[in-house]
Amino acid sequence: MNGMTSDHNASSQEEYLPHYLQKEDPFASKLSKEADIIAGFYLTVIGILSTLGNGYVIFMSSKRKKKLRPAEIMTVNLAVCDLGISVVGKPFSIISFFSHRWVFGWMGCRWYGWAGFFFGCGSLITMTAVSLDRYLKICHLSYGTWLKRHHAFICLAVIWGYATFWATVPFAGVGSYAPEPFGTSCTLDWWLAQASVSGQAFILSILFFCLLFPTAVIVFSYVKIILKVKSSTKEVAHYDTRIQNSNILEMKLTKVAMLICAGFLIAWIPYAVVSVWSAFGQPDSVPIQFSVVPTLLAKSAAMYNPIIYQVIDCKFSCCRSGGMKKRNSQKSRMYTISAHRDSTAMNETQLEV
């Protein structure tokens, strides 16, 4: 009986044809012309805002590049990834939506799919590295003190190498890039999992190493940070002003990282769910009109990050200026160093970055 079941599954996999092989023209839009025009305008607005916002973050960071902290270097790398998605990828999909079909052929489809996966994976792994940096900086001070700028640049090399490897693996014959069901965009060929066991192994590897594992690290890091902050807030209140300012800066960087990660995951999780269902659910059971919405939402992720960064930075600047005024009004107060402050001095040395 088991043998008959396995034979039936094998035959069903052999008989399965993905959507792009069922039609003579896989690049013809399956949406109405009006829907394509709306999607084209939407991506145009997203692309412009993302390019301007991330370009501004990179430009402002370049003016103080020698003073960037490790976490800020990672934030700049995230802006580079988002800018890459906007500049390299979005023009292809915008032109195709307005043309009511994918106009760049199979080679352009594979390039677009590679670029989107490369920069998307780079963004997620960058956020994973940022979450680990925040975790070590706040929860393990003894490790956080030796995380210097050159460690950040080594981490960048690992991130780009990781993203390059996983984005290029499909070209080695174990995967592929293919048009989306609606025809005017391309992505990783999730439908390989419906066709063969090797396709299932490839898709599962991609899901684990490029989504589940990084997301688990991010969630673990920020849960530990939240618990640590709750337990140490009262302790920090007793430190002197210099330690409090250092703690405020660390919290500012942590808030930026947490919000960016949350925005990225919120934008990408619906797309990931639809992709997993396409790979392992009933063949072609995802309606075409439904599949386009998570795709457009995921493409908007690159726009959120510079907005989040600037809002938090503005709030931090206001708080910092308020703190300066308060200190100026109380500048007659003097700090004295005595024996009972030795432990505080040691804590200050640990908190300095």
Side-chain angles (χ1 to χ4, degrees):
M1 191 72 179
N2 291 335
M4 293 177 61
T5 303
S6 61
D7 290 341
H8 175 72
N9 290 337
S11 62
S12 65
Q13 286 183 339
E14 290 175 359
E15 293 172 359
Y16 174 76
L17 283 178
H19 63 88
Y20 52 85
L21 294 179
Q22 297 174 7
K23 307 290 184 180
E24 292 184 2
D25 186 2
F27 298 125
S29 176
K30 312 305 185 295
L31 304 174
S32 66
K33 200 158 189 176
E34 293 77 11
D36 277 337
I37 291 174
I38 293 173
F41 274 115
Y42 169 81
L43 288 181
T44 300
V45 173
I46 294 296
I48 292 173
L49 293 177
S50 176
T51 301
L52 293 176
N54 288 291
Y56 176 77
V57 171
I58 295 171
F59 172 74
M60 294 302 295
S61 299
S62 66
K63 296 175 68 173
R64 49 186 295 269
K65 56 186 177 182
K66 294 184 178 180
K67 297 181 180 179
L68 293 176
R69 300 149 59 89
E72 292 174 315
I73 292 173
M74 294 296 173
T75 302
V76 174
N77 190 64
L78 186 60
V80 171
C81 291
D82 291 340
L83 185 64
I85 292 175
S86 300
V87 173
V88 176
K90 280 190 174 61
F92 285 79
S93 54
I94 290 172
I95 293 172
S96 295
F97 273 114
F98 282 127
S99 300
H100 197 48
R101 62 174 289 107
W102 179 263
V103 296
F104 301 99
W106 276 103
M107 185 170 291
C109 181
R110 294 186 179 99
W111 159 251
Y112 177 85
W114 180 90
F117 190 24
F118 172 72
F119 288 115
C121 182
S123 295
L124 183 57
I125 303 304
T126 299
M127 287 186 284
T128 305
V130 170
S131 68
L132 283 175
D133 172 78
R134 298 291 85 209
Y135 169 69
L136 292 174
K137 205 75 169 178
I138 293 174
C139 299
H140 298 280
L141 295 177
S142 58
Y143 290 98
T145 53
W146 61 260
L147 288 173
K148 306 300 182 184
R149 283 170 57 90
H150 66 276
H151 296 118
F153 289 115
I154 293 173
C155 190
L156 291 185
V158 173
I159 291 170
W160 288 110
Y162 193 93
T164 301
F165 173 78
W166 284 108
T168 309
V169 160
F171 294 129
V174 297
S176 182
Y177 294 100
E180 300 266 16
F182 50 88
T184 48
S185 181
C186 293
T187 184
L188 191 71
D189 192 348
W190 300 99
W191 303 271
L192 284 173
Q194 297 280 0
S196 65
V197 175
S198 61
Q200 292 177 357
F202 168 71
I203 295 300
L204 287 173
S205 299
I206 290 291
L207 287 172
F208 179 78
F209 289 104
C210 299
L211 179 63
L212 298 179
F213 178 69
T215 302
V217 173
I218 291 171
V219 172
F220 168 82
S221 298
Y222 289 124
V223 167
K224 298 293 286 186
I225 287 171
I226 291 171
L227 295 176
K228 180 67 175 179
V229 168
K230 284 186 176 180
S231 64
S232 61
T233 301
K234 294 182 179 180
E235 297 177 9
V236 173
H238 296 291
Y239 294 156
D240 65 27
T241 306
R242 189 178 179 187
I243 298 176
Q244 290 179 8
N245 289 340
S246 177
N247 184 72
I248 290 173
L249 182 56
E250 293 298 334
M251 288 300 102
K252 174 240 179 179
L253 293 174
T254 302
K255 287 180 181 179
V256 169
M258 290 178 68
L259 288 174
I260 285 176
C261 289
F264 183 91
L265 294 176
I266 290 172
W268 278 95
I269 282 177
Y271 179 79
V273 170
V274 171
S275 299
V276 170
W277 183 258
S278 299
F280 300 102
Q282 291 296 321
D284 304 321
S285 60
V286 179
I288 292 177
Q289 291 77 8
F290 180 75
S291 67
V292 71
V293 176
T295 301
L296 296 177
L297 179 61
K299 293 180 186 297
S300 68
M303 180 188 68
Y304 304 147
N305 298 341
I307 296 175
I308 292 171
Y309 186 83
Q310 292 304 317
V311 168
I312 296 295
D313 190 57
C314 179
K315 287 184 178 180
F316 173 72
S317 299
C318 292
C319 293
R320 183 171 53 187
S321 62
M324 288 290 291
K325 290 178 181 179
K326 184 177 180 180
R327 287 199 298 274
N328 289 336
S329 65
Q330 297 177 347
K331 62 183 178 180
S332 59
R333 296 180 59 183
M334 302 293 293
Y335 287 97
T336 58
I337 302 176
S338 59
H340 74 277
R341 296 292 299 276
D342 287 345
S343 60
T344 302
M346 292 179 65
N347 287 330
E348 180 177 350
T349 302
Q350 286 183 320
L351 280 170
E352 283 185 342
V353 292

